[in-house]
Amino acid sequence: MSAMSDYLENEILDHILSVGSYTMPSAVYVGLSTGSFGDDNSGTELSGSNYSRVAATFSAASSGTTSNSAAIEFAAATGSWGTISHFGVFDAASSGNLLIHGAFSASKAIETGDILKISTGDLDITAA
């Protein structure tokens, strides 16, 4: 399950209702968390231990859903990342705006040397 952030909801509404123009990001990046992100970009993204967001590509949406069109692979952890349970899609490699967030169907503990990989088609984004 996924949800749009308040930021993205406002940008889309302004764009559709001719109040403002939303410019598509040049790239989007997947970030990870051990807890949920809020629509207001609250929540705590991972940091340290060789963690950084990873650029991702998605297929064109159909019937209100899309998924990643290529594998998303994070660098090997150099320390414990904890138990990863949630993701965020951002418009920048660092800082930037949270666009979409959600929970993974299963949590995964990431320890030193582990590599978190999301296979092609396994990160589903649904507009509801």
Side-chain angles (χ1 to χ4, degrees):
M1 184 171 154
S2 56
M4 284 189 240
S5 68
D6 292 342
Y7 166 81
L8 184 59
E9 289 171 349
N10 289 334
E11 290 294 316
I12 289 171
L13 283 172
D14 287 351
H15 185 85
I16 291 170
L17 300 173
S18 299
V19 176
S21 180
Y22 178 68
T23 302
M24 180 177 73
S26 58
V28 293
Y29 300 84
V30 175
L32 304 173
S33 179
T34 58
S36 63
F37 290 101
D39 287 352
D40 61 355
N41 195 21
S42 58
T44 304
E45 184 176 2
L46 299 180
S47 65
S49 298
N50 205 33
Y51 166 78
S52 62
R53 295 176 187 165
V54 174
T57 57
F58 290 86
S59 302
S62 175
S63 300
T65 191
T66 185
S67 61
N68 56 314
S69 58
I72 302 166
E73 188 169 319
F74 291 81
T78 58
S80 176
W81 288 2
T83 301
I84 308 305
S85 58
H86 290 76
F87 69 89
V89 178
F90 297 85
D91 62 6
S94 62
S95 299
N97 299 293
L98 174 66
L99 303 174
I100 297 168
H101 60 95
F104 290 114
S105 58
S107 299
K108 175 72 177 160
I110 302 296
E111 300 299 332
T112 301
D114 290 344
I115 297 172
L116 190 144
K117 180 179 178 182
I118 302 168
S119 297
T120 302
D122 280 355
L123 185 60
D124 298 323
I125 306 291
T126 301

